[in-house]
Amino acid sequence: MVEDKLSKYKKKRDFNVTPEPYTSEKISKKARFVVQKHEARNLHYDFRLEVEGVLKSWAVPKGPSVDYTQKRLAIPTEDHPLDYIDFEGTIPEGNYGAGTMIVWDTGTYRNLKENDGHEIPIEKTIEDGRVEFILEGEKLKGAYALIRTGKEGKKFWLFFKMKELHRDNRDILKEQPESVLSGKTVEDLKKEQ
Ligand code: MN
């Protein structure tokens, strides 16, 4: 099952060359999320949710925000293996996604979607295009949503913090650019090459 979900991921990559993980062995009790800052051809942030043995993934060009007034475009990408959850490093030139990557934030999440007091499985909420969850990360905390919107043929997703009493208008991407795992920035990784 997990193998089927990862076929797209594996087809795009040559694991003799890229240091990216291809296994899903790092299982945890609580569902996790990760935001990876990825300085590829275009800088973006990859947002991933642990769902049924894989990491459901979206590329967020402008990155996440702690300000509920900021809605960010999110583009679905292929499911990633669980072991990608703590991947940092350099994807060599000529490979898919070539560039540097750090774990900008990580932690656990809690599904918020329910119907008559019963939790709707997160997988179903993704299918439905209405995903709501609490993030318990180091930088991102609180209720966030991923919503599919737009008309047929022109669908897209938005990723944003749900409305709260007090607006937090910090630019957290600028204020805290470093990895929560290593303390390194993507610039540090580039210099190490
Ligand atoms: Mn990426």
Side-chain angles (χ1 to χ4, degrees):
M1 285 292 281
V2 166
E3 284 310 305
D4 294 346
K5 291 183 192 168
L6 293 176
S7 62
K8 226 178 180 178
Y9 173 86
K10 288 186 175 171
K11 250 181 230 153
K12 288 173 185 272
R13 293 170 175 82
D14 177 356
F15 298 103
N16 292 313
V17 187
T18 181
E20 292 168 289
Y22 53 87
T23 52
S24 286
E25 290 165 357
K26 292 176 181 168
I27 296 165
S28 76
K29 283 202 185 109
K30 284 186 106 183
R32 294 160 295 176
F33 79 95
V34 66
V35 180
Q36 279 152 322
K37 184 176 181 181
H38 188 186
E39 177 111 58
R41 198 155 15 124
N42 297 303
L43 173 69
H44 62 273
Y45 293 74
D46 290 294
F47 179 71
R48 312 186 201 281
L49 288 175
E50 180 176 357
V51 178
E52 301 287 332
V54 295
L55 297 172
K56 289 283 174 192
S57 301
W58 290 260
V60 184
K62 288 190 173 167
S65 178
V66 294
D67 180 347
Y68 70 78
T69 69
Q70 300 294 310
K71 291 187 166 61
R72 300 285 160 86
L73 178 69
I75 302 147
T77 58
E78 75 276 16
D79 292 350
H80 278 49
L82 276 193
D83 297 358
Y84 216 93
I85 196 97
D86 58 1
F87 173 71
E88 297 196 336
T90 299
I91 303 165
E93 266 319 305
N95 288 270
Y96 182 71
T100 49
M101 184 179 274
I102 57 162
V103 174
W104 181 80
D105 196 21
T106 191
T108 59
Y109 77 88
R110 204 151 43 81
N111 184 2
L112 277 179
K113 272 294 206 188
E114 48 179 54
N115 188 6
D116 282 342
H118 297 284
E119 186 179 312
I120 305 172
I122 192 92
E123 219 166 9
K124 172 84 167 77
T125 70
I126 294 172
E127 269 171 40
D128 294 345
R130 297 194 71 82
V131 196
E132 292 174 10
F133 42 82
I134 305 253
L135 294 181
E136 286 153 352
E138 286 186 37
K139 295 171 182 169
L140 301 182
K141 296 173 198 290
Y144 279 79
L146 262 165
I147 305 293
R148 190 170 55 220
T149 185
K151 294 193 181 97
E152 274 316 318
K154 264 201 170 172
K155 294 241 186 232
F156 56 94
W157 291 72
L158 292 172
F159 178 46
F160 54 91
K161 190 162 206 194
M162 289 164 75
K163 194 164 183 187
E164 54 190 350
L165 215 48
H166 300 285
R167 182 180 165 202
D168 183 350
N169 61 5
R170 287 175 300 145
D171 184 349
I172 199 167
L173 301 178
K174 271 213 180 107
E175 284 178 20
Q176 295 176 267
E178 73 292 336
S179 160
V180 292
L181 297 185
S182 64
K184 290 177 182 172
T185 62
V186 287
E187 290 75 23
D188 293 333
L189 286 191
K190 268 196 231 162
K191 275 181 225 150
E192 285 172 12
Q193 286 176 64

